[in-house]
Amino acid sequence: AEHRRVADARFGQDRGPTMVGNTAIAESKPVKDRYKFQRGYAQPELYAPVTGFYSYLYRTSGLEQSYSSELSGQDDSQFLSRLVDILSGSVPRGGAIETTINAKAQQAAWKALAGRKGAVVALDYTTGAVLALVSSPSYDPNKLATHDLGDSTKAWNSLNDDPAKPMANRATREIYPPGSTFKLVTAAAALESGMTADSKVDASAYKLPTSTKVITGNCGGSSVSLSQALKVSCNPGFARLGATLGADELRNQAQRFGFGSKFLDEIGSAPSRFPDELDPAQTAMSAIGEFEVAASPLQIALVSASIANRGVLMEPYLVSQVTDADLNVVRTTTPRAHSQALTASSADELQKMMVEVVANGTGRNAQIPGVTVGGKTGTAQSDRIRNPYAWFTAWADDPHVAVCAFVEDAEIDASEIAGGRVAAPIAKAVIEALR
């Protein structure tokens, strides 16, 4: 009984709102039952990966969890506001958290995914602010927050039994084979090693070392420039290049881009992975985003963001500021750099190469009149049963945004253009929404 009273008191708090612009996407409203306040979510499926849920039986997740003390008004930064409420006899009120999400970009990402399994992440690459974060399929947090605990239990069981995994945050907490989007990492390592966009790459058929596997591809010639190799996503050229650079160089470059790191503590993330032990054949396959390389859509967005920001990887964040119940700002997020992923000169050169991908290569479907867009397509097929993953990552000069669009089931035959056909239009829609 004592535990029940504590839980009732916790669940009956007047929690503050979570805001996107001037709109509350999560807020508590007074009700006439034992708990006094009901937590509710506007546009629940659209924002569930951001807000998380607030439940009597299943506690909290997402921003509801990481900012629980601020939302409930119990954080140390809200002491004065809490003291005023106590002295005046008022019911303690929670503070508000203001997210970095742009409503138009979020809606555009959700609409462009069109119900397919996948995720979209968009970042302001100059600050690290997350402008869109969508995961599909999603779920309705209202069904877990309900005061009818029987209904809450049914919803929880249904969501966890669903094979589509609607509660899985595909944007940050799941990692997948990134396919040819990883060639950006390999290209960065090549530029950092002294190559230029005009350096020649052997693009002829490549037999993997100590293996019978041969990697082929029509790259526009048997010897092409590094820029041409990226433009047409030349598998034999990049596989051979990766073997030449070596596993250590690729691994170090991947780590500078954030592989192996966790980001967005507010909602949690899985670190992206570049394998530790590689033989030459595995190194070649890893260089084109295969073998055991795995990345989250957030991580691939961060690669583009670093390149667009002249090599500086900014720490991503979801909350811009926190206010107390009287709207006094008690905490503000200050943008900060995570790492120097590559030199400014290498980043400038890689930017031009990515622009060529969109202007004349596999990323044509991301072209936007009047906007400079650089991008990279990716298609990944880890087995012969499922359809390929489709990826596209890009950045734009105006607005300052980096995007990753990921579709878990491209619903077309495996080919290099899957990312360009399926995912590039999604990224384009998000960039256009921010203009």
Side-chain angles (χ1 to χ4, degrees), residues 125 351 355 358 368-374 395-399 431:
Y125 54 77
Q351 285 177 25
V355 169
V358 174
I368 302 173
V371 180
T372 300
V373 179
W395 55 266
D397 65 336
D398 185 16
I431 294 171

Side-chain angles (χ1 to χ4, degrees), residues 11-24:
F11 199 58
Q13 292 171 335
D14 183 10
R15 289 166 75 84
T18 299
M19 307 294 294
V20 169
N22 295 320
T23 301

Side-chain angles (χ1 to χ4, degrees), residues 80-95:
L80 289 179
S81 177
R82 192 162 62 247
L83 182 62
V84 170
D85 286 339
I86 292 172
L87 294 175
S88 64
S90 301
V91 175
R93 298 167 296 159

Side-chain angles (χ1 to χ4, degrees), residues 135-395:
S135 179
S136 174
S138 187
Y139 68 100
D140 184 351
N142 290 301
K143 293 182 178 180
L144 299 175
T146 177
H147 291 178
D148 186 320
L149 303 188
D151 285 349
S152 181
T153 300
K154 290 177 183 177
W156 177 262
N157 292 335
S158 176
L159 289 168
N160 282 281
D161 291 341
D162 190 335
K165 298 172 63 178
M167 294 181 73
N169 188 333
R170 289 170 164 84
T172 70
R173 299 179 72 97
E174 304 288 329
I175 56 176
Y176 309 89
S180 292
T181 59
F182 191 81
K183 288 173 184 169
L184 292 172
V185 179
T186 304
L191 292 171
E192 293 286 80
S193 74
M195 293 181 67
T196 69
D198 295 325
S199 295
K200 291 300 182 181
V201 174
D202 186 347
S204 60
Y206 178 50
K207 181 177 177 296
L208 293 179
T210 65
S211 171
T212 59
K213 182 178 177 64
V214 178
I215 299 178
T216 60
N218 183 4
C219 303
S222 59
S223 178
V224 300
S225 68
L226 182 60
S227 181
Q228 168 72 8
L230 191 74
K231 182 176 75 173
V232 300
S233 203
C234 176
N235 280 337
F238 270 95
R240 185 180 279 108
L241 180 59
T244 301
L245 289 167
D248 290 344
E249 286 296 320
L250 292 178
R251 186 179 303 105
N252 290 339
Q253 184 61 67
Q255 289 172 351
R256 288 196 292 272
F257 275 121
F259 277 71
S261 298
K262 291 184 178 181
F263 297 102
L264 291 182
D265 289 342
E266 302 104 313
I267 59 173
S269 69
S272 296
R273 181 180 68 236
F274 187 88
D276 289 330
E277 301 289 338
L278 294 174
D279 63 27
Q282 293 165 344
T283 299
M285 295 303 292
S286 296
I288 59 175
E290 298 188 17
F291 187 54
E292 294 179 354
V293 178
S296 66
L298 170 63
Q299 174 62 74
I300 299 302
L302 289 172
V303 171
S304 282
S306 305
I307 295 166
N309 198 38
R310 304 203 70 205
V312 179
L313 168 57
M314 300 300 292
E315 188 78 26
Y317 63 97
L318 258 173
V319 173
S320 57
Q321 66 178 22
V322 179
T323 61
D324 64 18
D326 298 314
L327 302 183
N328 299 306
V329 177
V330 296
R331 187 180 306 163
T332 301
T333 301
T334 301
R336 62 187 181 90
H338 175 82
S339 62
Q340 183 77 39
L342 66 168
T343 62
S345 58
S346 293
D348 290 346
E349 197 146 17
L350 194 44
Q351 285 177 25
K352 295 174 185 176
M353 292 164 61
M354 292 178 72
V355 169
E356 190 65 15
V357 170
V358 174
N360 301 299
T362 58
R364 289 184 180 89
N365 285 337
Q367 293 176 2
I368 302 173
V371 180
T372 300
V373 179
K376 182 69 193 80
T377 53
T379 306
Q381 186 161 16
S382 59
D383 59 54
R384 297 182 179 181
I385 299 174
R386 65 164 181 77
N387 285 333
Y389 297 144
W391 294 84
F392 187 73
T393 185
W395 55 266

